[in-house]
Amino acid sequence: MLPLPPENRKVSPFFVFYLIVAAQFGLGVFSFQREIVKVVGNDAWIAVIIAGISIHIILWMIYQILNKGTNDITVIHKELFGKWLGGLLSLALIVYLLALAISVVRSYTELIQVWIFPQLETWYMALILSVLVYVYVIGGFRIIVGICFLSFIFTTPIFFIMVGFPLRHMQISHLFPILDHSAAELLSASKTMAYSLTGFETIFFFYTFIKDAPRSQKWGHYGTAFSTVSYLVIMIVSLMYFSKNQLLESIWPTLTIWQIADFPFLERFEFMGISFWLFSVVNSVCLYIWAGTRGLKQLFSLKQKHSLIVMLTLTAVAAILLKTREQIDQLNSLMGTVSLYVMYAYIPFIFFYQMIKGKLRRTS
C-alpha cells in the first residue's frame, strides 16, 4: 500500500463541502421527480427529506469507518478482510464508480441530443468529455477540487434563478392532502430519491487528501444538507407547477420549467442551463474516475496516468454502445439498485464489522 499523501498535496477540510455537492448535485436534478411522484404523488417532498436524513446517517458511518482506519478504504478493506477478499471488495467499489461515470456521461450526452443537437453523434460527445476529464484528472486531486469549487460558483446562481421562474404559475393546492400515503410507500419513494444523492462514496478514496480529515465531517454534512435542500426546493416547485399526470409524463421536468423563462436577449434559456451543467457533469465524472484510478494505484501499484486512460476508454466505449433510450434507462435503473445496496447494505456492514472486530481485539 502507498504511504499517506504529503501535506502539500492535501486540501483544507472545508473543501469537502464542494466535493460532496459536486458528487450529489448532478444530472439527477433534471429528472428525479417522476419516479418519486409515481409512488407517493404530492407527498414526494417528504420522501426527499427522508432520503436526505438517511444519507446523513450513512455519511456519519463512513467517517467513523475512515477515522478508525486512518487511511482510505483499500487499506481498511485489507486490514478487515485480508489481502484477497479485501482486494476484491476494493475492486468492486472501483467498478461501481466506473459504472457511475458511464451512466453520467451517457445520460448527459442523451440530454444534449434530445434538447440541443439531435444529430450529435454519441462518440463525439463521449470524446469531448473524456478529453476534459483527462486534462483535469491528470492535474491531480487539487485541480479537481478547484473545478468542483468553480462549478459550485457557476451553477448555483442558475439554480436559484430557475426557482424564481414559475412562481406566478404555481398552485399551493397541489401539495394537499399532506401525508396521504403510508410509511411503506414513503420509504419506497425515498429509496428512489437516494440514487440522486449518491456519489459521496468517493470520500472513501479522497479522505487521506484532506488536512485533519476528521474535522471535515461537518463540511460533509453541510454539503449533504445543501444538496438535500436544493432537491427539496425543486421538488416542491415541480409539485406546485405541474399536475401529477404532467409530472408522470415528463422525463426532464426541471428543463420544462426552465422553458418558461423569457428574456428579450435569450429565447431558449434551457440551452444555456444545459450548457452550464457541463461543469457539474465534468466534475462528478472527474471525482469518480480519479477515485477509481487512486484505488487501482493502491491495489496494483498502477500509475494513475495509465489507469486513467484505460478507465476513460472503457467509459467512452460503454457510452457509445448504449444507443437507445431503453438501454440508458436500464443502466440507470441498474445503478439505482446497486447504489442502494452500496449505501444501505455494504457501508453499514463495514461499519458494524469494523466496530465488532475492534471490540473483540480489545477484549482478547
Side-chain angles (χ1 to χ4, degrees):
M1 294 295 174
L2 300 169
L4 291 174
E7 286 297 309
N8 62 0
R9 293 184 62 194
K10 295 183 178 180
V11 298
S12 299
F14 73 90
F15 278 113
V16 171
F17 172 86
Y18 302 103
L19 291 167
I20 295 291
V21 172
Q24 294 179 327
F25 201 55
L27 278 180
V29 74
F30 294 124
S31 58
F32 74 105
Q33 300 97 321
R34 186 174 64 162
E35 295 302 319
I36 304 172
V37 169
K38 191 184 295 181
V39 182
V40 290
N42 58 300
D43 283 335
W45 62 276
I46 300 175
V48 176
I49 295 174
I50 294 172
I53 293 171
S54 72
I55 296 297
H56 277 287
I57 296 171
I58 299 298
L59 183 63
W60 176 82
M61 287 185 177
I62 289 176
Y63 266 97
Q64 299 310 304
I65 294 168
L66 293 168
N67 290 344
K68 288 177 184 173
T70 63
N71 213 315
D72 68 24
I73 192 65
T74 56
V75 177
I76 294 171
H77 276 158
K78 185 180 178 183
E79 289 174 353
L80 292 177
F81 304 104
K83 180 180 178 181
W84 293 104
L85 183 55
L88 281 174
L89 285 173
S90 299
L91 195 59
L93 203 53
I94 292 167
V95 172
Y96 165 68
L97 293 173
L98 175 63
L100 283 180
I102 293 168
S103 172
V104 172
V105 168
R106 189 61 188 93
S107 297
Y108 185 69
T109 303
E110 184 195 25
L111 203 63
I112 297 284
Q113 290 169 329
V114 172
W115 283 83
I116 303 181
F117 301 117
Q119 305 303 321
L120 179 71
E121 295 287 346
T122 303
W123 70 265
Y124 187 71
M125 197 63 206
L127 179 64
I128 291 174
L129 288 172
S130 297
V131 170
L132 284 174
V133 172
Y134 178 84
V135 169
Y136 293 132
V137 174
I138 203 71
F141 180 70
R142 292 168 68 94
I143 296 294
I144 296 173
V145 173
I147 295 300
C148 292
F149 173 76
L150 289 175
S151 170
F152 181 84
I153 299 298
F154 284 120
T155 56
T156 303
I158 291 178
F159 166 73
F160 285 109
I161 290 171
M162 180 277 292
V163 172
F165 286 152
L167 280 177
R168 65 179 184 275
H169 304 292
M170 294 193 298
Q171 297 185 36
I172 196 169
S173 60
H174 286 179
L175 296 178
F176 296 98
I178 294 174
L179 284 175
D180 194 34
H181 297 82
S182 67
E185 289 174 321
L186 288 170
L187 287 175
S188 175
S190 67
K191 288 193 300 183
T192 305
M193 177 62 214
Y195 175 52
S196 297
L197 291 168
T198 195
F200 63 99
E201 306 93 315
T202 47
I203 195 171
F204 273 134
F205 294 91
F206 68 69
Y207 177 83
T208 56
F209 285 78
I210 307 298
K211 293 177 182 175
D212 196 4
R215 281 185 54 228
S216 68
Q217 182 172 350
K218 66 178 181 182
W219 293 104
H221 286 290
Y222 291 160
T224 299
F226 178 86
S227 301
T228 304
V229 171
S230 300
Y231 277 105
L232 179 63
V233 170
I234 296 172
M235 178 58 85
I236 291 175
V237 168
S238 301
L239 288 171
M240 293 172 69
Y241 180 71
F242 296 102
S243 68
K244 180 181 177 182
N245 288 334
Q246 286 173 327
L247 269 178
L248 292 177
E249 292 173 1
S250 179
I251 298 175
W252 295 287
T254 305
L255 290 178
T256 305
I257 289 175
W258 284 3
Q259 278 187 308
I260 68 175
D262 185 19
F263 296 103
F265 58 89
L266 186 64
E267 188 176 353
R268 300 291 298 270
F269 179 79
E270 73 274 18
F271 286 7
M272 191 179 79
I274 293 171
S275 303
F276 266 94
W277 226 256
L278 176 66
F279 283 99
S280 179
V281 169
V282 168
N283 63 38
S284 59
V285 177
C286 282
L287 269 177
Y288 299 148
I289 296 294
W290 178 87
T293 58
R294 176 70 186 176
L296 290 173
K297 187 175 181 179
Q298 284 278 42
L299 287 177
F300 307 112
S301 299
L302 278 175
K303 289 187 177 179
Q304 277 183 277
K305 62 181 180 182
H306 296 155
S307 57
L308 172 61
I309 293 173
V310 173
M311 291 192 76
L312 286 177
T313 303
L314 290 173
T315 302
V317 170
I320 293 168
L321 291 175
L322 294 168
K323 297 185 181 300
T324 65
R325 172 74 199 162
E326 288 72 25
Q327 290 172 332
I328 299 168
D329 258 349
Q330 286 174 357
L331 173 65
N332 290 333
S333 298
L334 174 65
M335 292 314 301
T337 304
V338 173
S339 66
L340 286 178
Y341 281 111
V342 170
M343 287 191 286
Y344 298 116
Y346 157 76
I347 293 173
F349 168 71
I350 298 291
F351 170 76
F352 287 113
Y353 187 86
Q354 185 190 47
M355 184 173 64
I356 293 169
K357 194 166 183 177
K359 285 185 177 179
L360 289 175
R361 279 178 182 168
R362 285 193 293 273
T363 54
S364 62

PDB file of all heavy atoms in Angstrom, residues 76-103:
ATOM      1  N   ILE A  76      -8.292  -0.156   4.574  1.00  0.00           N
ATOM      2  CA  ILE A  76      -9.235  -0.648   5.593  1.00  0.00           C
ATOM      3  C   ILE A  76      -9.791  -2.013   5.188  1.00  0.00           C
ATOM      4  O   ILE A  76      -9.904  -2.927   6.028  1.00  0.00           O
ATOM      5  CB  ILE A  76     -10.377   0.383   5.792  1.00  0.00           C
ATOM      6  CG1 ILE A  76      -9.797   1.659   6.395  1.00  0.00           C
ATOM      7  CG2 ILE A  76     -11.472  -0.189   6.686  1.00  0.00           C
ATOM      8  CD1 ILE A  76     -10.765   2.823   6.432  1.00  0.00           C
ATOM      9  N   HIS A  77     -10.126  -2.183   3.904  1.00  0.00           N
ATOM     10  CA  HIS A  77     -10.580  -3.496   3.424  1.00  0.00           C
ATOM     11  C   HIS A  77      -9.535  -4.567   3.707  1.00  0.00           C
ATOM     12  O   HIS A  77      -9.858  -5.670   4.174  1.00  0.00           O
ATOM     13  CB  HIS A  77     -10.829  -3.439   1.907  1.00  0.00           C
ATOM     14  CG  HIS A  77     -12.184  -2.916   1.549  1.00  0.00           C
ATOM     15  ND1 HIS A  77     -12.469  -2.361   0.316  1.00  0.00           N
ATOM     16  CD2 HIS A  77     -13.339  -2.870   2.249  1.00  0.00           C
ATOM     17  CE1 HIS A  77     -13.731  -1.997   0.282  1.00  0.00           C
ATOM     18  NE2 HIS A  77     -14.286  -2.285   1.436  1.00  0.00           N
ATOM     19  N   LYS A  78      -8.273  -4.242   3.431  1.00  0.00           N
ATOM     20  CA  LYS A  78      -7.193  -5.222   3.617  1.00  0.00           C
ATOM     21  C   LYS A  78      -7.033  -5.583   5.090  1.00  0.00           C
ATOM     22  O   LYS A  78      -6.851  -6.759   5.442  1.00  0.00           O
ATOM     23  CB  LYS A  78      -5.879  -4.653   3.069  1.00  0.00           C
ATOM     24  CG  LYS A  78      -4.735  -5.646   3.104  1.00  0.00           C
ATOM     25  CD  LYS A  78      -3.457  -5.040   2.542  1.00  0.00           C
ATOM     26  CE  LYS A  78      -2.309  -6.038   2.637  1.00  0.00           C
ATOM     27  NZ  LYS A  78      -1.035  -5.442   2.158  1.00  0.00           N
ATOM     28  N   GLU A  79      -7.132  -4.566   5.964  1.00  0.00           N
ATOM     29  CA  GLU A  79      -6.993  -4.831   7.403  1.00  0.00           C
ATOM     30  C   GLU A  79      -8.140  -5.671   7.940  1.00  0.00           C
ATOM     31  O   GLU A  79      -7.958  -6.515   8.814  1.00  0.00           O
ATOM     32  CB  GLU A  79      -6.928  -3.500   8.163  1.00  0.00           C
ATOM     33  CG  GLU A  79      -5.623  -2.738   7.938  1.00  0.00           C
ATOM     34  CD  GLU A  79      -5.644  -1.370   8.592  1.00  0.00           C
ATOM     35  OE1 GLU A  79      -6.721  -0.965   9.096  1.00  0.00           O
ATOM     36  OE2 GLU A  79      -4.594  -0.709   8.591  1.00  0.00           O
ATOM     37  N   LEU A  80      -9.353  -5.448   7.395  1.00  0.00           N
ATOM     38  CA  LEU A  80     -10.534  -6.143   7.925  1.00  0.00           C
ATOM     39  C   LEU A  80     -10.701  -7.547   7.340  1.00  0.00           C
ATOM     40  O   LEU A  80     -11.133  -8.471   8.033  1.00  0.00           O
ATOM     41  CB  LEU A  80     -11.800  -5.325   7.631  1.00  0.00           C
ATOM     42  CG  LEU A  80     -11.952  -3.994   8.370  1.00  0.00           C
ATOM     43  CD1 LEU A  80     -13.218  -3.279   7.921  1.00  0.00           C
ATOM     44  CD2 LEU A  80     -11.996  -4.225   9.881  1.00  0.00           C
ATOM     45  N   PHE A  81     -10.388  -7.708   6.044  1.00  0.00           N
ATOM     46  CA  PHE A  81     -10.735  -8.959   5.362  1.00  0.00           C
ATOM     47  C   PHE A  81      -9.535  -9.688   4.745  1.00  0.00           C
ATOM     48  O   PHE A  81      -9.711 -10.730   4.125  1.00  0.00           O
ATOM     49  CB  PHE A  81     -11.756  -8.678   4.251  1.00  0.00           C
ATOM     50  CG  PHE A  81     -12.989  -7.987   4.732  1.00  0.00           C
ATOM     51  CD1 PHE A  81     -13.178  -6.626   4.500  1.00  0.00           C
ATOM     52  CD2 PHE A  81     -13.963  -8.686   5.429  1.00  0.00           C
ATOM     53  CE1 PHE A  81     -14.309  -5.977   4.949  1.00  0.00           C
ATOM     54  CE2 PHE A  81     -15.102  -8.040   5.881  1.00  0.00           C
ATOM     55  CZ  PHE A  81     -15.277  -6.687   5.638  1.00  0.00           C
ATOM     56  N   GLY A  82      -8.340  -9.129   4.909  1.00  0.00           N
ATOM     57  CA  GLY A  82      -7.182  -9.774   4.318  1.00  0.00           C
ATOM     58  C   GLY A  82      -6.925  -9.294   2.898  1.00  0.00           C
ATOM     59  O   GLY A  82      -7.714  -8.551   2.319  1.00  0.00           O
ATOM     60  N   LYS A  83      -5.801  -9.746   2.331  1.00  0.00           N
ATOM     61  CA  LYS A  83      -5.339  -9.229   1.038  1.00  0.00           C
ATOM     62  C   LYS A  83      -6.312  -9.532  -0.097  1.00  0.00           C
ATOM     63  O   LYS A  83      -6.696  -8.649  -0.876  1.00  0.00           O
ATOM     64  CB  LYS A  83      -3.968  -9.821   0.723  1.00  0.00           C
ATOM     65  CG  LYS A  83      -3.391  -9.347  -0.599  1.00  0.00           C
ATOM     66  CD  LYS A  83      -2.024  -9.967  -0.849  1.00  0.00           C
ATOM     67  CE  LYS A  83      -1.470  -9.533  -2.200  1.00  0.00           C
ATOM     68  NZ  LYS A  83      -0.151 -10.153  -2.478  1.00  0.00           N
ATOM     69  N   TRP A  84      -6.769 -10.808  -0.202  1.00  0.00           N
ATOM     70  CA  TRP A  84      -7.539 -11.187  -1.386  1.00  0.00           C
ATOM     71  C   TRP A  84      -8.989 -10.728  -1.316  1.00  0.00           C
ATOM     72  O   TRP A  84      -9.496 -10.096  -2.251  1.00  0.00           O
ATOM     73  CB  TRP A  84      -7.468 -12.702  -1.586  1.00  0.00           C
ATOM     74  CG  TRP A  84      -6.085 -13.159  -1.930  1.00  0.00           C
ATOM     75  CD1 TRP A  84      -5.188 -13.777  -1.111  1.00  0.00           C
ATOM     76  CD2 TRP A  84      -5.421 -12.946  -3.193  1.00  0.00           C
ATOM     77  NE1 TRP A  84      -3.998 -13.985  -1.771  1.00  0.00           N
ATOM     78  CE2 TRP A  84      -4.111 -13.488  -3.044  1.00  0.00           C
ATOM     79  CE3 TRP A  84      -5.786 -12.375  -4.390  1.00  0.00           C
ATOM     80  CZ2 TRP A  84      -3.183 -13.468  -4.084  1.00  0.00           C
ATOM     81  CZ3 TRP A  84      -4.869 -12.339  -5.424  1.00  0.00           C
ATOM     82  CH2 TRP A  84      -3.581 -12.879  -5.267  1.00  0.00           C
ATOM     83  N   LEU A  85      -9.679 -11.055  -0.208  1.00  0.00           N
ATOM     84  CA  LEU A  85     -11.086 -10.642  -0.092  1.00  0.00           C
ATOM     85  C   LEU A  85     -11.190  -9.118  -0.008  1.00  0.00           C
ATOM     86  O   LEU A  85     -12.076  -8.505  -0.631  1.00  0.00           O
ATOM     87  CB  LEU A  85     -11.717 -11.294   1.139  1.00  0.00           C
ATOM     88  CG  LEU A  85     -13.211 -11.009   1.351  1.00  0.00           C
ATOM     89  CD1 LEU A  85     -14.014 -11.402   0.107  1.00  0.00           C
ATOM     90  CD2 LEU A  85     -13.732 -11.727   2.583  1.00  0.00           C
ATOM     91  N   GLY A  86     -10.277  -8.510   0.743  1.00  0.00           N
ATOM     92  CA  GLY A  86     -10.273  -7.054   0.826  1.00  0.00           C
ATOM     93  C   GLY A  86     -10.014  -6.417  -0.527  1.00  0.00           C
ATOM     94  O   GLY A  86     -10.632  -5.413  -0.891  1.00  0.00           O
ATOM     95  N   GLY A  87      -9.086  -7.022  -1.299  1.00  0.00           N
ATOM     96  CA  GLY A  87      -8.801  -6.512  -2.638  1.00  0.00           C
ATOM     97  C   GLY A  87     -10.008  -6.621  -3.563  1.00  0.00           C
ATOM     98  O   GLY A  87     -10.288  -5.713  -4.355  1.00  0.00           O
ATOM     99  N   LEU A  88     -10.741  -7.752  -3.445  1.00  0.00           N
ATOM    100  CA  LEU A  88     -11.933  -7.932  -4.288  1.00  0.00           C
ATOM    101  C   LEU A  88     -13.008  -6.886  -3.958  1.00  0.00           C
ATOM    102  O   LEU A  88     -13.659  -6.344  -4.859  1.00  0.00           O
ATOM    103  CB  LEU A  88     -12.509  -9.334  -4.088  1.00  0.00           C
ATOM    104  CG  LEU A  88     -11.795 -10.466  -4.829  1.00  0.00           C
ATOM    105  CD1 LEU A  88     -12.374 -11.820  -4.433  1.00  0.00           C
ATOM    106  CD2 LEU A  88     -11.927 -10.262  -6.352  1.00  0.00           C
ATOM    107  N   LEU A  89     -13.174  -6.602  -2.672  1.00  0.00           N
ATOM    108  CA  LEU A  89     -14.158  -5.574  -2.279  1.00  0.00           C
ATOM    109  C   LEU A  89     -13.757  -4.200  -2.818  1.00  0.00           C
ATOM    110  O   LEU A  89     -14.604  -3.447  -3.300  1.00  0.00           O
ATOM    111  CB  LEU A  89     -14.281  -5.523  -0.755  1.00  0.00           C
ATOM    112  CG  LEU A  89     -15.070  -6.670  -0.110  1.00  0.00           C
ATOM    113  CD1 LEU A  89     -14.963  -6.600   1.406  1.00  0.00           C
ATOM    114  CD2 LEU A  89     -16.539  -6.615  -0.533  1.00  0.00           C
ATOM    115  N   SER A  90     -12.463  -3.894  -2.734  1.00  0.00           N
ATOM    116  CA  SER A  90     -11.990  -2.599  -3.270  1.00  0.00           C
ATOM    117  C   SER A  90     -12.208  -2.537  -4.777  1.00  0.00           C
ATOM    118  O   SER A  90     -12.625  -1.504  -5.318  1.00  0.00           O
ATOM    119  CB  SER A  90     -10.504  -2.409  -2.944  1.00  0.00           C
ATOM    120  OG  SER A  90     -10.299  -2.397  -1.560  1.00  0.00           O
ATOM    121  N   LEU A  91     -11.923  -3.652  -5.457  1.00  0.00           N
ATOM    122  CA  LEU A  91     -12.096  -3.692  -6.908  1.00  0.00           C
ATOM    123  C   LEU A  91     -13.573  -3.515  -7.293  1.00  0.00           C
ATOM    124  O   LEU A  91     -13.899  -2.826  -8.263  1.00  0.00           O
ATOM    125  CB  LEU A  91     -11.567  -5.022  -7.459  1.00  0.00           C
ATOM    126  CG  LEU A  91     -11.342  -5.103  -8.970  1.00  0.00           C
ATOM    127  CD1 LEU A  91     -10.357  -4.043  -9.424  1.00  0.00           C
ATOM    128  CD2 LEU A  91     -10.844  -6.497  -9.368  1.00  0.00           C
ATOM    129  N   ALA A  92     -14.463  -4.142  -6.508  1.00  0.00           N
ATOM    130  CA  ALA A  92     -15.904  -3.994  -6.769  1.00  0.00           C
ATOM    131  C   ALA A  92     -16.325  -2.538  -6.616  1.00  0.00           C
ATOM    132  O   ALA A  92     -17.145  -2.024  -7.396  1.00  0.00           O
ATOM    133  CB  ALA A  92     -16.692  -4.883  -5.809  1.00  0.00           C
ATOM    134  N   LEU A  93     -15.768  -1.852  -5.614  1.00  0.00           N
ATOM    135  CA  LEU A  93     -16.101  -0.436  -5.404  1.00  0.00           C
ATOM    136  C   LEU A  93     -15.598   0.414  -6.575  1.00  0.00           C
ATOM    137  O   LEU A  93     -16.270   1.366  -7.006  1.00  0.00           O
ATOM    138  CB  LEU A  93     -15.472   0.035  -4.089  1.00  0.00           C
ATOM    139  CG  LEU A  93     -16.088   1.258  -3.403  1.00  0.00           C
ATOM    140  CD1 LEU A  93     -17.587   1.095  -3.195  1.00  0.00           C
ATOM    141  CD2 LEU A  93     -15.390   1.525  -2.080  1.00  0.00           C
ATOM    142  N   ILE A  94     -14.435   0.063  -7.102  1.00  0.00           N
ATOM    143  CA  ILE A  94     -13.884   0.796  -8.248  1.00  0.00           C
ATOM    144  C   ILE A  94     -14.765   0.590  -9.494  1.00  0.00           C
ATOM    145  O   ILE A  94     -15.055   1.541 -10.231  1.00  0.00           O
ATOM    146  CB  ILE A  94     -12.437   0.334  -8.522  1.00  0.00           C
ATOM    147  CG1 ILE A  94     -11.528   0.778  -7.375  1.00  0.00           C
ATOM    148  CG2 ILE A  94     -11.926   0.886  -9.853  1.00  0.00           C
ATOM    149  CD1 ILE A  94     -10.172   0.119  -7.379  1.00  0.00           C
ATOM    150  N   VAL A  95     -15.210  -0.647  -9.723  1.00  0.00           N
ATOM    151  CA  VAL A  95     -16.103  -0.930 -10.859  1.00  0.00           C
ATOM    152  C   VAL A  95     -17.413  -0.155 -10.711  1.00  0.00           C
ATOM    153  O   VAL A  95     -17.959   0.376 -11.692  1.00  0.00           O
ATOM    154  CB  VAL A  95     -16.373  -2.446 -10.967  1.00  0.00           C
ATOM    155  CG1 VAL A  95     -17.451  -2.737 -12.017  1.00  0.00           C
ATOM    156  CG2 VAL A  95     -15.086  -3.188 -11.305  1.00  0.00           C
ATOM    157  N   TYR A  96     -17.900  -0.076  -9.498  1.00  0.00           N
ATOM    158  CA  TYR A  96     -19.127   0.689  -9.224  1.00  0.00           C
ATOM    159  C   TYR A  96     -18.946   2.164  -9.604  1.00  0.00           C
ATOM    160  O   TYR A  96     -19.816   2.757 -10.261  1.00  0.00           O
ATOM    161  CB  TYR A  96     -19.462   0.541  -7.742  1.00  0.00           C
ATOM    162  CG  TYR A  96     -20.463   1.515  -7.198  1.00  0.00           C
ATOM    163  CD1 TYR A  96     -21.803   1.484  -7.589  1.00  0.00           C
ATOM    164  CD2 TYR A  96     -20.084   2.488  -6.265  1.00  0.00           C
ATOM    165  CE1 TYR A  96     -22.723   2.384  -7.077  1.00  0.00           C
ATOM    166  CE2 TYR A  96     -20.998   3.387  -5.748  1.00  0.00           C
ATOM    167  CZ  TYR A  96     -22.311   3.336  -6.152  1.00  0.00           C
ATOM    168  OH  TYR A  96     -23.228   4.228  -5.648  1.00  0.00           O
ATOM    169  N   LEU A  97     -17.809   2.743  -9.227  1.00  0.00           N
ATOM    170  CA  LEU A  97     -17.552   4.147  -9.567  1.00  0.00           C
ATOM    171  C   LEU A  97     -17.415   4.332 -11.074  1.00  0.00           C
ATOM    172  O   LEU A  97     -17.890   5.330 -11.641  1.00  0.00           O
ATOM    173  CB  LEU A  97     -16.284   4.629  -8.859  1.00  0.00           C
ATOM    174  CG  LEU A  97     -16.373   4.723  -7.335  1.00  0.00           C
ATOM    175  CD1 LEU A  97     -15.009   5.041  -6.734  1.00  0.00           C
ATOM    176  CD2 LEU A  97     -17.381   5.788  -6.927  1.00  0.00           C
ATOM    177  N   LEU A  98     -16.790   3.354 -11.736  1.00  0.00           N
ATOM    178  CA  LEU A  98     -16.673   3.422 -13.198  1.00  0.00           C
ATOM    179  C   LEU A  98     -18.057   3.386 -13.852  1.00  0.00           C
ATOM    180  O   LEU A  98     -18.334   4.147 -14.794  1.00  0.00           O
ATOM    181  CB  LEU A  98     -15.820   2.246 -13.702  1.00  0.00           C
ATOM    182  CG  LEU A  98     -15.689   2.104 -15.217  1.00  0.00           C
ATOM    183  CD1 LEU A  98     -14.972   3.314 -15.813  1.00  0.00           C
ATOM    184  CD2 LEU A  98     -14.929   0.819 -15.580  1.00  0.00           C
ATOM    185  N   ALA A  99     -18.929   2.525 -13.340  1.00  0.00           N
ATOM    186  CA  ALA A  99     -20.287   2.429 -13.891  1.00  0.00           C
ATOM    187  C   ALA A  99     -21.060   3.734 -13.666  1.00  0.00           C
ATOM    188  O   ALA A  99     -21.846   4.159 -14.526  1.00  0.00           O
ATOM    189  CB  ALA A  99     -21.030   1.254 -13.251  1.00  0.00           C
ATOM    190  N   LEU A 100     -20.839   4.378 -12.522  1.00  0.00           N
ATOM    191  CA  LEU A 100     -21.484   5.677 -12.275  1.00  0.00           C
ATOM    192  C   LEU A 100     -21.012   6.707 -13.303  1.00  0.00           C
ATOM    193  O   LEU A 100     -21.811   7.494 -13.828  1.00  0.00           O
ATOM    194  CB  LEU A 100     -21.158   6.169 -10.862  1.00  0.00           C
ATOM    195  CG  LEU A 100     -21.915   5.538  -9.688  1.00  0.00           C
ATOM    196  CD1 LEU A 100     -21.448   6.153  -8.378  1.00  0.00           C
ATOM    197  CD2 LEU A 100     -23.424   5.718  -9.829  1.00  0.00           C
ATOM    198  N   ALA A 101     -19.711   6.679 -13.601  1.00  0.00           N
ATOM    199  CA  ALA A 101     -19.164   7.618 -14.601  1.00  0.00           C
ATOM    200  C   ALA A 101     -19.799   7.365 -15.973  1.00  0.00           C
ATOM    201  O   ALA A 101     -20.162   8.314 -16.683  1.00  0.00           O
ATOM    202  CB  ALA A 101     -17.645   7.468 -14.674  1.00  0.00           C
ATOM    203  N   ILE A 102     -19.933   6.101 -16.354  1.00  0.00           N
ATOM    204  CA  ILE A 102     -20.559   5.760 -17.646  1.00  0.00           C
ATOM    205  C   ILE A 102     -21.998   6.261 -17.685  1.00  0.00           C
ATOM    206  O   ILE A 102     -22.443   6.846 -18.676  1.00  0.00           O
ATOM    207  CB  ILE A 102     -20.523   4.232 -17.860  1.00  0.00           C
ATOM    208  CG1 ILE A 102     -19.075   3.749 -18.030  1.00  0.00           C
ATOM    209  CG2 ILE A 102     -21.358   3.835 -19.078  1.00  0.00           C
ATOM    210  CD1 ILE A 102     -18.924   2.248 -17.966  1.00  0.00           C
ATOM    211  N   SER A 103     -22.720   6.055 -16.587  1.00  0.00           N
ATOM    212  CA  SER A 103     -24.113   6.489 -16.514  1.00  0.00           C
ATOM    213  C   SER A 103     -24.239   8.001 -16.695  1.00  0.00           C
ATOM    214  O   SER A 103     -25.104   8.483 -17.437  1.00  0.00           O
ATOM    215  CB  SER A 103     -24.695   6.055 -15.160  1.00  0.00           C
ATOM    216  OG  SER A 103     -25.964   6.598 -14.968  1.00  0.00           O
TER     217      SER A 103
END
